[in-house]
């Protein structure tokens, strides 16, 4: 298939079975694998208030008394909505969400746990929970506990990949 559409890796070679692609939203499934490992180890309770793991209070300001659980975050029922999720270096996710409070929350008609809305920010929060619980940086945790055990030479942080692996990165989209 890759040869038929002419996809190439960064070295300019035709894509092969070894070509690596940025996986966009499927990364949420992979992140869930990392989180679920910690759940199976008893380090995360999916039904606990996520604030306990995040290190800051996570509450929809329209529902300040309703805890948002890890399960709600993972299932896109947290009431967290996508805002700008490019968090500058030196800022915490908690501080950033407070800064743009209105941008990140469902309206008064959509309580946490009662309404599904796909949100990339949910998985920024799951990555933060993985870091807080494991004590490892998210991308490094995923390499050590998910990718390497599966025999994969990939990372959420491309700069950590070998030069050979980086050369196998394919173009994601082509006009």
């Amino acid at each position: 298939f890759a040869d038929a559409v002419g996809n190439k890796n960064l070295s300019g070679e035709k894509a092969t079975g070894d070509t690596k692609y940025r996986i966009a939203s499927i990364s949420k499934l992979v992140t869930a694998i990392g989180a679920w490992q910690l759940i199976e180890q008893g380090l995360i309770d999916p039904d606990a208030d996520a604030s306990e793991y995040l290190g800051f209070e996570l509450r929809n300001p329209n529902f300040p008394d309703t805890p948002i659980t890890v399960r709600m975050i993972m299932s896109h029922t947290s009431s967290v909505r996508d805002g700008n999720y490019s968090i500058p270096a030196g800022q915490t996710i908690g501080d950033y969400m407070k800064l743009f409070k209105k941008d990140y929350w469902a309206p008064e008609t959509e309580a946490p746990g009662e309404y599904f809305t796909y949100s990339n920010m949910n998985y920024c929060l799951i990555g933060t929970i993985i870091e807080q619980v494991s004590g490892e940086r998210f991308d490094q945790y995923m390499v050590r506990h998910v990718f390497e055990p599966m025999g994969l030479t990939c990372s959420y942080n491309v700069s950590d990949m070998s030069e050979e692996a980086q050369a196998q990165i394919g173009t994601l989209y082509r006009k």
Side-chain angles (χ1 to χ4, degrees), residues 118-133:
Y118 185 87
S119 170
N120 292 298
M121 185 53 106
N122 281 317
Y123 277 79
C124 295
L125 292 166
I126 294 297
T128 301
I129 290 170
I130 290 171
E131 287 186 339
Q132 294 289 87
V133 171

Side-chain angles (χ1 to χ4, degrees), residues 10-39:
L10 294 181
S11 299
E13 300 164 359
K14 286 188 175 184
T16 69
D18 293 325
T19 301
K20 295 170 183 0
Y21 291 93
R22 294 174 190 242
I23 57 174
S25 288
I26 199 71
S27 66
K28 291 170 188 63
L29 168 67
V30 178
T31 299
I33 292 169
W36 212 260
Q37 289 176 337
L38 296 168
I39 290 168

